[in-house]
Amino acid sequence: MTTIEQNLHLVRDRITTACRDAGRDPASVRLLAVSKTFGADAVVAAVLAGQRAFGENYVAEGVDKILALRAWCAAHPLDAGGALQWHCIGPIQSNKTRPVAEHFDWVQSVDRLKIAQRLSEQRPAHLPPLQICLQVNIDGGANKSGVA
């Protein structure tokens, strides 16, 4: 068993225990593995251990891994665990919206209308809609990000 496989097993066990303690179905929780700073080989090891959702906050690094894993998956079809899912996590600069719209499945922190509009306009028509999570500034704090 690889270190990545062992670590994923331990995390999944902790999730299962926490869910049972809370009276929640463990199957209702999905693990998002943040793969930033790890190479594509580490992501492949996680995929082989059953992980399917990955988060990246460095857009260029994420796109490189998405393309590498797309090529890897073409040569190694995935089992019933499903396709890989890529999440862009963290704030997005306006000049990074195109590669995010073209390659990621989810954006975890859309904090401005301008970013949402650019992502929508730049999403290729052949891809499913981009899933987004809006960051909301609920108290109106001037030093906080998020939409009102």
Side-chain angles (χ1 to χ4, degrees), residues 28-142:
S28 70
V29 174
R30 292 186 316 191
L31 176 63
L32 178 63
V34 177
S35 51
K36 72 176 188 174
T37 74
F38 290 92
D41 56 332
V43 177
V44 167
V47 169
L48 291 172
Q51 182 62 32
R52 296 295 183 263
F54 297 92
E56 290 283 339
N57 70 333
Y58 299 127
V59 174
E61 179 184 326
V63 169
D64 289 346
K65 277 187 234 174
I66 291 167
L67 295 174
L69 268 290
R70 191 175 294 153
W72 184 87
C73 287
H76 305 86
L78 297 176
D79 59 11
L84 301 186
Q85 190 177 78
W86 294 93
H87 296 242
C88 183
I89 57 178
I92 301 172
Q93 298 171 335
S94 296
N95 65 342
K96 302 287 186 186
T97 56
R98 183 170 302 280
V100 170
E102 292 175 345
H103 296 284
F104 287 83
D105 303 299
W106 278 87
V107 178
Q108 292 288 341
S109 55
V110 173
D111 62 354
R112 300 185 307 282
L113 177 60
K114 177 183 178 181
I115 299 298
Q117 288 172 324
R118 288 177 63 94
L119 290 168
S120 179
E121 292 164 1
Q122 295 169 339
R123 184 72 167 176
H126 70 278
L127 294 177
L130 184 63
Q131 302 296 306
I132 67 165
C133 296
L134 290 176
Q135 182 177 345
V136 179
N137 182 343
I138 59 172
D139 70 1

